[in-house]
C-alpha cells in the first residue's frame, strides 16, 4: 500500500502553526534515528516546551515494549512533541490520552475516519491498528521534568504482512490526506486538551476516554511481561491504570501491558505487531 502522499512543506508548517505552542521550535528532518530520541536529546539540552520534531523517515523508530516502528520515507506521520508540564508522574498518562484523543478527533474531522483508542497507547480503526504513541519522560522524584510524546500514524502505508491487523488513513478513508493538514489539526486540538489537563487535572478526560476507548465494557485478554489473563475492562483511572473484573467479583488493576478483545474461545484479535500468540 505504498503511495506518494503530499510532501511536508516546513515553511508552510511554520506558518500554519504560528501562534500555537508548537511554533517554539520545529525540527524537521528527512531522516532521523527516532523522533523521540531527538526530542529527548533536545529536552536534555534545554529545548523549550512545545518543541516539535518530525521526520519523513526513521532509521530506528521505536514502539512500545522494545518493538521497532517501521514506516517508509514520506508515507506516514512520524513526530514527537516535547512538554515541560508542572505535573507529577501519575499525571503523564493524561497527556498521552490528550494526544491520542486529538488524533482520533482530527481523523474524524479531517478524514471522516472513526478511530478509537485502545489502552494504553494505540489508535485503531475497527479491529486494525492505525497508529501508536510512545511516551517517555524524565522526573525528579515525583515531579516531571519533561515529557516526550511520540506519535506514528499510518497515513498511506501499513505493513503488508500485517494486513489483517493494521491499516492506514488511505485505506480507511479511500483518499489521500495531507500529512501536514493532519499534523496541524492534531496539534491544534492537542494544545487545547493539554491546557485543559493542566488547568483541571487528569480527571478531566475520563468521560471522553470512556467514549473513545473501545475495550471498556468488553472481555479482554491482558498480556504483560509476567502473565496473561482475561477479564472485563471496567474503567481506566486518570493515572492510566486499567481496572478489570476477572470473575466472581475479583478486581485486578494493570499498569502496563497489552490488551486485545476476547473473541470466540481460542482466538484473540491481536492488537498489533504480531506479539499475541494464543498458547
Ligand atoms: C507503538 O505502537 O508501539 C508505539 C509506536 C510509536 C511510534 C512513534 S513514530 C514517532 C515516534 N518516534 C519513535 O521512535 N516512536 C514514535
Amino acid at each position: 500500500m505504498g503511495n506518494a502522499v503530499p510532501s511536508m512543506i516546513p515553511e508552510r508548517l511554520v506558518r500554519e502553526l504560528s501562534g500555537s505552542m508548537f511554533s517554539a521550535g520545529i525540527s524537521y528532518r528527512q531522516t532521523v534515528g527516532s523522533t523521540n530520541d531527538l526530542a529527548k536529546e533536545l529536552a536534555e539540552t534545554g529545548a523549550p516546551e512545545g518543541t516539535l520534531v518530525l521526520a519523513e523517515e526513521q532509521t530506528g523508530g521505536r514502539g512500545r515494549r522494545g518493538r521497532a516502528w517501521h514506516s517508509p520515507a514520506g508515507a506516514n506521520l512520524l513526530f514527537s512533541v516535547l512538554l515541560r508540564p508542572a505535573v507529577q508522574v501519575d499525571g503523564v498518562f493524561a497527556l498521552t490520552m490528550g494526544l491520542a484523543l486529538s488524533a482520533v478527533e482530527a481523523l474524524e474531522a479531517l478524514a471522516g475516519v472513526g478511530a478509537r483508542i485502545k489502552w494504553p497507547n494505540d489508535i485503531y480503526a475497527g479491529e486494525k491498528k492505525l497508529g501508536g504513541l510512545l511516551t517517555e519522560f524524565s522526573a525528579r522524584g515525583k515531579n516531571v521534568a519533561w515529557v516526550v510524546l511520540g506519535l506514528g500514524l499510518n497515513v498511506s502505508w501499513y505493513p503488508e504482512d500485517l494486513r489483517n491487523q493494521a491499516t492506514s488513513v488511505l485505506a480507511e478513508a479511500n483518499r489521500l490526506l495531507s500529512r501536514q493538514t493532519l499534523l496541524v489539526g492534531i496539534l491544534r486540538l492537542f494544545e487545547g486538551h493539554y491546557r485543559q489537563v493542566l488547568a483541571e487535572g487528569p480527571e478531566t478526560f475520563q468521560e471522553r476516554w470512556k467514549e473513545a476507548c473501545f475495550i471498556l465494557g468488553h472481555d479482554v485478554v491482558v498480556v504483560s511481561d509476567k502473565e496473561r489473563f482475561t477479564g472485563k475492562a471496567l474503567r481506566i483511572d486518570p493515572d492510566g491504570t486499567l481496572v478489570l473484573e476477572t470473575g466472581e467479583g475479583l478486581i485486578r488493576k494493570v499498569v502496563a501491558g497489552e490488551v486485545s478483545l476476547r473473541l470466540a474461545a481460542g482466538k484473540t484479535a491481536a492488537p498489533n505487531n504480531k506479539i499475541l500468540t494464543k498458547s
Side-chain angles (χ1 to χ4, degrees), residues 24-245:
I26 301 175
S27 273
Y28 168 75
R29 303 287 168 98
Q30 280 300 321
T31 303
V32 74
S34 148
T35 57
N36 263 44
D37 289 348
L38 179 53
K40 289 192 315 182
E41 271 171 51
L42 293 170
E44 290 296 348
T45 51
E49 157 142 305
T51 296
L52 168 66
V53 178
L54 72 146
E56 296 289 350
E57 185 180 21
Q58 298 181 120
T59 52
R62 295 183 291 109
R64 291 176 56 249
R65 298 162 73 82
R67 290 187 294 253
W69 186 263
H70 299 292
S71 175
N76 293 331
L77 205 45
L78 307 164
F79 73 91
S80 304
V81 293
L82 166 62
L83 307 171
R84 295 186 180 279
V87 300
Q88 297 206 325
V89 169
D90 59 6
V92 170
F93 179 76
L95 307 178
T96 307
M97 274 294 120
L99 184 57
L101 268 180
S102 308
V104 164
E105 290 166 358
L107 283 163
E108 178 69 58
L110 299 170
V113 171
R116 311 285 299 273
I117 301 168
K118 185 167 75 55
W119 182 92
N121 285 30
D122 289 333
I123 297 177
Y124 267 61
E127 288 178 4
K128 295 181 176 180
K129 182 159 169 167
L130 193 53
L133 290 96
L134 179 66
T135 298
E136 298 178 282
F137 63 91
S138 159
R140 294 192 185 91
K142 282 187 174 174
N143 295 323
V144 165
W146 52 256
V147 179
V148 166
L149 302 179
L151 176 64
L153 197 61
N154 297 338
V155 177
S156 76
W157 179 92
Y158 59 84
E160 191 56 35
D161 58 330
L162 295 178
R163 81 183 71 83
N164 295 326
Q165 300 161 39
T167 188
S168 66
V169 178
L170 172 63
E172 296 301 314
N174 234 345
R175 68 185 171 101
L176 277 174
L177 196 80
S178 147
R179 288 171 301 156
Q180 193 155 316
T181 303
L182 206 44
L183 173 67
V184 171
I186 292 170
L187 291 178
R188 291 272 179 196
L189 286 163
F190 177 67
E191 179 164 4
H193 294 337
Y194 179 57
R195 298 208 186 286
Q196 192 180 341
V197 171
L198 293 187
E200 296 171 16
E203 300 78 15
T204 184
F205 283 136
Q206 240 180 330
E207 283 309 307
R208 307 260 280 281
W209 296 346
K210 259 192 217 160
E211 286 162 29
C213 292
F214 73 76
I215 61 165
L216 293 181
H218 292 282
D219 286 339
V220 295
V221 181
V222 179
V223 181
S224 74
D225 288 337
K226 296 189 195 113
E227 58 182 341
R228 162 193 198 104
F229 62 93
T230 58
K232 182 175 177 184
L234 296 182
R235 65 171 198 272
I236 297 165
D237 284 341
D239 67 357
T241 304
L242 175 64
V243 182
L244 301 119
E245 187 179 344

